[in-house]
């Protein structure tokens, strides 16, 4: 077996202490944290609160007020009133406010990192990378907004005495429903294109990780967004989320989350005439060709299989490897998985921390068992991991060997988990990789880059990669096919900006003689 030229490591923690400003924010002068409506902190009329906790220690970080129907109503009204003026601001005014908000996020970088690390259970290396997305995303969408064709399009003659043209404008009130795994990244992907297109927003964070959104709401008020432009509505999906989905004043919803929830919200939106865009889960695949160095590629794939402990939407869960190198690949992958440093996410050197909540803890263990029941052969069976002096949702990584015709992991597992299937050819690998209802991200690993590109184009997925995985770049669409997403190209491209606008056809006839 070839020697590994460069050591590829899993994302790793440095020691991270809670900054005083984060503690003060969570403490909130002894009051539960409210939503942000208008530019005010609102506790809500339901008098319902929930706790948000650190998955690696089970310590309660803060108590949060749940927003009910009255608050969703109030937020929609605030947003509608604000839109009358916000929709008419110039692109430059919006860009200035957005960049002021980014500067405030950067001033309070440690607070937002603490939200990701303690509320979300993430290691610092990944949280720091996520944080960079705030500026990158804002700058990209400022550029797009400056060039975007809003307002009236060119007129065309459509009949005798009749002309027509398009008129593009913001929807008005749009909502972002966000999952727990990448709050500051996914908030940015929603907030910036939505605001820069001239909309007023309702941001609904996941109940497991509400802190960064609530903090961002405060920073938006400090940046000077007019009251009602930027509203934050924490609460459970089936309560706050459902009220948002049912509200006729919300014109467009950008949803990121699991396919089942996305499908259910889509049905609600359809009933209420709300447009919806969905970015959902995946069951990522990787194809490793015979010319690849099994050890080098196993480490690369290991890094991305374990990104945020596999709680990343396009995580590689299925690997199809040429049978000629399969044994070497499996051994190297097992070594990588076995040597992951399991521990508390804010302790130096941790690479595999706790999963986000008790539901996920049970779900992953169930998926590990079902894989074996479906015919997967356990190389590393997974199960509960002990971490000294910590009570948290810790699980071991899991690795299985399978064979063509044995579909042992049909569903997204969302942990450091993979099945490896030796195959006879790249064509067989492609057919197996594509035989999934998901279609988010897939990769080919080979020294023959041209052949890799040829194969990558044949994935049904929205993101097709050669010798890399989990790639995201502004200017290229990031979106899913099949049950992983739709409609449209995805996020982070020009088309995303236009998703936050509606186009009307305007016809003008000569006054009848
Ligand atoms: P989820 O679907 O359970 O929840 C997502 C959001 O929807 C949360 O804010 C939740 O409160 C809300 N929600 C739940 N029920 C609702 C309802 N009835 N009405 C309105 N809102 C409701 O997802 P999750 O567990 O938070 O996140 C993990 C999932 O997200 C995984 O499937 C992952 O792959 C996916 N994801 C996809 C992408 C992407 O870009 N494609 C990115 C990150 C995560």
């Amino acid at each position: 077996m070839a020697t590994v030229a460069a050591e590829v490591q899993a994302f790793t923690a440095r020691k991270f202490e809670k900054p005083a400003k984060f503690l003060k924010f969570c403490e909130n002068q002894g009051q539960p944290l409210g939503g942000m409506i208008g530019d005010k902190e609102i506790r809500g009329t339901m008098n319902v609160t929930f706790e948000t906790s650190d998955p690696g220690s089970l310590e309660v970080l803060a108590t949060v007020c749940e927003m009910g129907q009255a608050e969703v109503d109030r937020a929609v009204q605030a947003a509608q009133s604000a839109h009358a003026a916000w929709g008419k601001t110039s692109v430059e005014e919006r860009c200035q406010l957005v960049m002021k908000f980014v500067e405030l996020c950067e001033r309070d970088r440690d607070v937002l990192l603490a939200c990701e690390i303690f509320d979300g259970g993430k290691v610092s290396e990944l949280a720091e990378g996520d944080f960079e997305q705030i500026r990158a995303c804002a700058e990209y969408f400022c550029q797009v907004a400056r060039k975007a064709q809003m307002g009236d399009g060119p007129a065309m003659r459509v009949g005798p005495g009749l002309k027509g043209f398009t008129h593009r404008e913001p929807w008005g009130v749009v909502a972002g429903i966000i999952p727990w795994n990448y709050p500051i990244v996914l908030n940015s992907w929603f907030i910036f294109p939505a605001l820069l297109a001239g909309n007023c927003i309702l941001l609904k964070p996941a109940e497991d990780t509400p802190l960064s959104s609530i903090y961002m709401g405060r920073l938006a008020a400090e940046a000077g967004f007019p009251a009602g432009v930027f509203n934050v509505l924490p609460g459970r999906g089936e309560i706050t989320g459902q009220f948002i989905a049912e509200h006729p004043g919300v014109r467009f919803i950008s949803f990121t989350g699991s396919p089942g929830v996305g499908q259910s919200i889509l049905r609600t939106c359809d009933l209420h005439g709300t447009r919806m865009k969905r970015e959902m889960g995946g069951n990522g695949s990787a194809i490793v060709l015979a010319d690849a160095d099994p050890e080098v590629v196993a480490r690369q794939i290991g890094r991305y299989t374990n990104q945020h402990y596999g709680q990343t939407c396009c995580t590689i869960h299925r690997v199809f490897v040429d049978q000629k190198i399969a044994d070497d690949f499996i051994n190297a992958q097992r070594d990588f998985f076995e040597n992951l440093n399991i521990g508390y996410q804010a302790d130096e050197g941790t690479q595999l921390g706790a999963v986000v909540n008790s539901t996920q803890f049970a779900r992953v263990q169930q998926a590990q068992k079902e894989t074996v029941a479906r015919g997967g052969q356990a190389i590393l069976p997974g199960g509960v991991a002990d971490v000294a002096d910590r009570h948290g949702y810790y699980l071991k990584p899991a690795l299985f060997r399978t064979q063509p015709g044995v579909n042992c992991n049909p569903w997204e597992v969302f942990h450091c988990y993979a099945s490896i299937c030796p195959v006879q050819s790249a064509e067989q690998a492609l057919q197996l990789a594509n035989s999934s209802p998901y279609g988010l991200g897939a990769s080919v690993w080979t020294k023959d880059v041209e052949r890799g590109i040829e194969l990558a184009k044949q994935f049904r997925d929205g993101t097709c990669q050669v010798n890399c995985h989990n790639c995201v770049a502004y200017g290229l669409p990031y979106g899913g096919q099949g049950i992983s997403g739709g409609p449209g190209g995805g996020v982070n491209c020009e088309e995303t900006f236009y998703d936050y606008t509606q186009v009307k056809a305007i016809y003008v006839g000569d006054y009848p003689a």
Side-chain angles (χ1 to χ4, degrees), residues 176-182 186 189 204-209 235-245 255-262 264-265 268 278-282 311-314 356-357 360 363 412 414 438 440 478-480 484-485 491:
I177 301 183
I178 311 290
W180 51 263
N181 59 340
Y182 282 85
L186 299 171
W189 291 2
K204 151 69 181 90
E207 43 275 55
D208 283 306
T209 54
R236 282 166 292 176
E238 62 274 28
I239 304 293
T240 317
Q242 186 73 23
F243 288 137
I244 292 173
F255 169 80
T256 310
S258 56
V261 170
S264 132
I265 302 177
T268 308
R278 297 169 301 154
E279 308 299 337
M280 301 183 285
Q311 302 174 121
T312 301
C313 48
C314 51
V356 73
N357 58 28
Q360 193 62 10
R363 244 193 91 236
E412 177 182 45
F414 232 42
Y438 298 91
L440 194 57
Y478 182 74
S484 295
V491 296

Side-chain angles (χ1 to χ4, degrees), residues 346-379:
D347 282 350
E348 185 75 32
T350 292
Q351 294 170 317
L352 177 50
V355 299
V356 73
N357 58 28
S358 57
T359 309
Q360 193 62 10
F361 188 63
R363 244 193 91 236
V364 173
Q365 289 179 74
Q366 180 66 19
Q368 292 169 346
K369 284 187 197 131
E370 282 177 11
T371 305
V372 175
R374 287 196 190 96
Q377 178 193 334
I379 299 163

Side-chain angles (χ1 to χ4, degrees), residues 4 10 13 17 32 47 86 92 119 141 173 180 187 233 246 268 281 287 305 343 356 373 409 426 452 466 494:
V4 181
E17 302 280 359
N47 289 324
W86 179 250
E92 272 323 306
D119 204 21
F141 279 110
V173 180
W180 51 263
N187 284 354
L233 298 168
E246 287 174 352
T268 308
I287 295 178
T305 302
V356 73
N409 60 324
V466 180
E494 269 184 51

Side-chain angles (χ1 to χ4, degrees), residues 78-94 97 150-151 167-173 194-201 225-229 497 500-501:
Q80 282 171 335
S81 309
H83 182 255
W86 179 250
K88 294 195 181 76
T89 49
S90 70
V91 170
E92 272 323 306
E93 282 172 84
R94 289 177 207 155
L97 268 176
M150 297 291 284
H167 179 73
R168 186 181 287 278
E169 61 186 16
W171 288 106
V173 180
L195 287 176
L196 287 164
N199 298 286
C200 296
I201 63 169
F225 280 101
V229 171
F497 180 87
Y500 290 99
T501 67

Side-chain angles (χ1 to χ4, degrees), residues 36 120 159 206 217 420 424 489 494:
M36 289 288 295
I420 303 179
Q424 285 173 357
E494 269 184 51

Side-chain angles (χ1 to χ4, degrees), residues 125-154:
E125 186 184 350
L126 193 54
E128 284 159 2
D130 289 357
F131 184 83
E132 304 303 317
Q133 300 297 316
I134 300 176
R135 175 172 283 277
C137 182
E139 286 179 348
Y140 172 71
F141 279 110
C142 282
Q143 264 180 40
V144 174
R146 286 185 178 115
K147 283 191 269 166
Q149 301 291 314
M150 297 291 284
D152 296 349

